[in-house]
Amino acid sequence: MNKLQQYLETAYRKRTPKSAALFERASKVMVRGGSHTLRLWKPYPFFVESARGSRVKDIDGHEYLDYWQGHYANILGHNPEIIRKSLERYVKKGTFHTGFETVVQVELAEKILKSLKYQNYKVRFTTSGTLAATYAVMLSMGFTGREYILKVGGGWHGASPYLLKGVKYYPGSGFNAPDSAGLPAEFYKKILVTRFNDGHQLEKIFKKYGSKLAAFILEPFIGVGGFLFCSPEYLKLARNLSDRYGVILIFDEIISGFRFLASGVQKLYQVQPDISLFGKLIGGGQAVAAVVGRSEIMEGCEKPGARELRVHFEGGTFSSHEEYMRAGLAMLDYLSERQKDIYPYLGRLGARLREGIKKAFEEEGIEVVCTGEVNEIVPNSSFFMVNFPKKKATYETPEDIWNPEVSDVFRREEILKLALLINGVHVVHGGGCLSTAHRESEIEKTIQAYAETARLFRKFQE
Ligand SMILES: Cc1ncc(COP(=O)(O)O)c(C=O)c1O
């Protein structure tokens, strides 16, 4: 452990004795003391007592400006009034039920389809992005009768068995190794990985494997891979190649859906996939994900007759649970009614934050690259990720973000995290996303926290 890390850990431990004790207790009964790897940072996470808007409060009484915002699901911040009210009305009615079809799910499906404006597409709900991605792959395989899947290096689609390759960067193999134990080796042979935004490589892979590919799945705005937008040429090429070889094109919009406009970011690119995946914010903070695809593919879910032709997409016990659907509907109604204000506001704050952070580090002579920038297609971005380059790089690919020879990944993931926590700011992967609950004054406060961090980095460098 270096001196700075030691200093930060000591300061963090001093502030959070109750969380430390609870983590110890949790570790006795829960694997590694919790339920999600990303929430279990070192030396231990703080435990949350309450959350409202831009802020969370831990059980030791400290408040943090939060940019994790429910794994990027909370575009209106934590605990937004409009969702709370919608759920309160439902609870007051006192008619909870589980496991029946309701009008609310129809309304949510209509809302999503209306935002996309496609003919002959259908929706099926489930409860997580992981499940949505899994079902989309199964539907593609069922429809095409093929078994190979192509994905992007650095692309994360949840812990779907079909897609757990090329998620993490491993020195030596880069983004091309299996990411999980517990899966048949056969699976991995049939998952192919291509470089993000590399049209040349995409053409080569389609030429070689096109007739074997069931689907090409990608995020038009790659999330964990570094908050980077695909180029419009790349998405168009993906569409053309998929058409030429009869491959199902899947856009994973679980992060980007309704984040940049009140629809999929695909509408800005004007590229129409065969299947889109939505999740996170379409549930208004509840467990909702949706597979939205061309009707003829989606009909595979309920194909009558031959068992082997039917894709077992049942959604799950809590699929389209009324409470979740109500929250999702309240969210999408709100976003579509106010999109003219919401997205430019988030974009303005995002630009200020990215610029302010960069300047704060520059003033201390520390080079940073802040990804999450807009491109020629998407005018507003509420994302930011602070990277510390070790060598000159363009920061246009997940390789630049995750190769430890290019970026100081440890500094971004662990050191920066603790330094910001002791300055009252909570980030993941060096940054996160904004919500409409974040005020301009809080952005300035956040920039100050990064400036304080930069000064600390400088001090410990000397
Ligand atoms: C792009 C993308 N796809 C899929 C998923 C998986 O969603 P979930 O965590 O709801 O299973 C995530 C989660 O972060 C994601 O970012």
Side-chain angles (χ1 to χ4, degrees), residues 36 68 71-72 127-131 133 156-159 219 221 223-224 252-256 277 279-280 288-289:
H36 196 295
W68 178 224
H71 299 228
Y72 320 130
T127 47
S128 75
T130 300
L131 280 170
W156 165 245
H157 308 285
E219 299 158 82
F221 170 77
V224 183
D252 180 343
E253 292 235 35
I254 284 165
I255 288 183
S256 59
L277 309 178
K280 301 211 188 266
V288 180

Side-chain angles (χ1 to χ4, degrees), residues 190-297:
K190 292 179 179 170
I191 308 172
L192 308 178
V193 183
T194 188
R195 261 167 67 91
F196 175 77
N197 238 353
D198 183 341
H200 187 62
Q201 192 180 52
L202 194 65
E203 282 189 273
K204 267 176 48 186
I205 293 182
F206 266 82
K207 209 166 168 192
K208 190 158 174 202
Y209 293 99
S211 60
K212 288 184 175 175
L213 284 179
F216 175 32
I217 181 166
L218 75 161
E219 299 158 82
F221 170 77
I222 198 161
V224 183
F227 293 161
L228 305 165
F229 287 103
C230 284
S231 70
E233 296 76 24
Y234 187 72
L235 290 188
K236 281 187 184 117
L237 179 67
R239 179 67 278 171
N240 290 340
L241 289 170
S242 300
D243 284 342
R244 196 180 316 154
Y245 289 91
V247 175
I248 307 297
L249 182 63
I250 306 172
F251 282 177
D252 180 343
E253 292 235 35
I254 284 165
I255 288 183
S256 59
F258 296 83
R259 235 312 145 180
F260 301 105
L261 72 161
S263 185
V265 75
Q266 59 190 267
K267 295 308 286 179
L268 295 177
Y269 281 92
Q270 296 183 331
V271 179
Q272 181 171 336
D274 302 300
I275 296 179
S276 303
L277 309 178
F278 295 99
K280 301 211 188 266
L281 61 76
I282 69 157
Q286 308 289 317
V288 180
V291 180
V292 183
R294 271 169 43 213
S295 302
E296 54 179 335
I297 303 169

Side-chain angles (χ1 to χ4, degrees), residues 168-183:
K168 288 222 162 81
Y169 188 94
Y170 302 100
S173 48
F175 285 119
N176 206 12
D179 284 288
S180 178
L183 292 172

Side-chain angles (χ1 to χ4, degrees), residues 37-57:
T37 324
L38 273 178
R39 300 178 197 157
L40 300 171
W41 63 83
K42 285 184 201 145
Y44 53 84
F46 63 69
F47 284 74
V48 169
E49 187 197 85
S50 61
R52 184 175 284 265
S54 56
R55 292 160 192 252
V56 293
K57 196 171 174 188

Side-chain angles (χ1 to χ4, degrees), residues 22 24 80 86 107 136 138 162 164 192 203 222 229 255 285 291 337 347 349 368 378 395 434:
L22 189 47
E24 207 184 310
S86 160
E107 288 170 5
M138 287 164 67
Y162 297 111
L164 280 175
L192 308 178
E203 282 189 273
I222 198 161
F229 287 103
I255 288 183
V291 180
E337 280 160 21
L349 260 51
V368 297
V378 185
Y395 279 89
L434 287 145

Side-chain angles (χ1 to χ4, degrees), residues 8-9 40 42 46 48 73 113 121-122 128 150 167 174 180 198 234 279 295 314 339 355 391 416 426-427 431 438 446:
L8 293 172
E9 270 208 33
L40 300 171
K42 285 184 201 145
F46 63 69
V48 169
L113 288 178
Y121 274 62
K122 282 198 173 145
S128 75
L150 180 62
V167 175
S180 178
D198 183 341
Y234 187 72
S295 302
E314 303 286 12
Q339 61 175 322
E355 174 209 86
K391 53 167 130 169
L416 179 65
H426 176 238
V427 300
H438 286 88
T446 305

